[in-house]
Amino acid sequence: MLTSREELDAELGEAARAWLDAALAEAADDAARPKTAADDATRPQTAADDAARSDAAADGAARSGAAADASRTAASPYASPSWELRYAAAGRHCGQRHADSVRSLLLVEARAPLASVTRLYDQGTAAERRAVLLTLHLLDLGDTALPLVEDALRANDTRLVAAAVGPYAADHLAPHAWRHAVLKCLFTEVPVAAVARLADRARGDTELARMLTDFAAERTAAGRPVPEDLRTALALTAPAGHPAPPTAAPAPTEES
């Protein structure tokens, strides 16, 4: 659950609030800066970039946003904007409990383009990737960030899987990929409650019903229990006013 700026101000200490104010100001400055062709393209990160990112993250709270921007521009037209370095340091300055919300605010304030979103995801820790996924639906990216969602759904990190099936996936994932995302949640024991708009997209989806029924049958044949979440999802596939399709019979117990 992402926290609003007002809620963060009430929970953060004075130093953290000051750091967040400076970080958001840098993000807003970058959003207002005229963009060039270089801003619209992603590029591989070099070892020098990694070192600069680490150094800037370590002392980001002390550096002036204007000075940082000037030094970056002089060094390279392709260098990451300073708010991206703040993004990486959010947990250290505002606490891990608030890191997702702080990072999301930075992405929104910067009106983060695809290049920034992709860079932060590709180079980020699992926590930094999760914050990107949680914020995609708040950015004006259309379906261009789908590769990030698809990458997260291939992972075995349940935090990334849960974040990947949020509102952005509900809006943009094609039916086939979305159905497999629902199954991925069942495979990895991510609660289907994490799947945004599950009821809307599942209603009347006979192919999803078939896939869920087959999965239930496989588990029953293997003597494994059918997850209650599977029954929940299957019930949602019934067209309005129709009963839910049946799942496979429960697996036999030793007493039976």
Side-chain angles (χ1 to χ4, degrees):
M1 177 71 69
L2 296 176
T3 304
S4 70
R5 175 66 194 277
E6 291 74 19
E7 292 169 318
L8 282 173
D9 282 343
E11 296 181 18
L12 293 175
E14 183 177 353
R17 287 197 304 271
W19 183 90
L20 180 56
D21 285 342
L24 291 174
E26 290 175 17
D29 285 346
D30 188 63
R33 179 176 60 84
K35 297 298 186 287
T36 66
D39 294 309
D40 297 325
T42 58
R43 68 181 179 92
Q45 191 79 347
T46 66
D49 293 330
D50 289 337
R53 175 187 171 94
S54 177
D55 291 343
D59 65 358
R63 294 177 60 187
S64 156
D69 188 61
S71 64
R72 280 197 323 276
T73 302
S76 168
Y78 297 104
S80 301
S82 62
W83 70 265
E84 291 188 23
L85 307 178
R86 298 274 197 174
Y87 181 95
R92 183 156 55 86
H93 289 278
C94 297
Q96 294 302 325
R97 184 164 70 91
H98 300 301
D100 280 347
S101 297
V102 170
R103 289 172 176 140
S104 181
L105 287 172
L106 284 170
L107 289 167
V108 172
E109 191 68 29
R111 299 200 296 271
L114 181 63
S116 289
V117 169
T118 301
R119 185 162 50 239
L120 292 171
Y121 182 90
D122 286 346
Q123 299 168 10
T125 63
E128 291 165 30
R129 290 183 172 202
R130 181 178 65 245
V132 166
L133 296 166
L134 291 172
T135 312
L136 289 177
H137 68 291
L138 300 175
L139 304 174
D140 186 19
L141 298 172
D143 63 0
T144 60
L146 273 177
L148 307 185
V149 172
E150 293 163 350
D151 179 82
L153 290 172
R154 289 191 292 269
N156 291 319
D157 188 328
T158 56
R159 297 169 300 172
L160 296 184
V161 174
V165 292
Y168 186 84
D171 289 341
H172 297 291
L173 269 183
H176 179 74
W178 182 82
R179 294 179 191 118
H180 280 278
V182 174
L183 283 178
K184 177 76 174 193
C185 289
L186 294 171
F187 290 144
T188 57
E189 299 183 355
V190 169
V192 294
V195 182
R197 290 178 41 215
L198 174 62
D200 290 341
R201 290 203 59 166
R203 186 176 298 114
D205 190 334
T206 56
E207 178 61 14
L208 177 61
R210 182 195 66 77
M211 293 167 69
L212 293 172
T213 301
D214 288 349
F215 181 41
E218 291 171 6
R219 290 186 67 91
T220 299
R224 303 178 66 188
V226 175
E228 190 59 35
D229 264 3
L230 188 150
R231 301 180 192 278
T232 298
L234 185 59
L236 294 173
T237 65
H242 290 71
T247 56
T253 63
E254 293 182 2
E255 288 77 8
S256 61

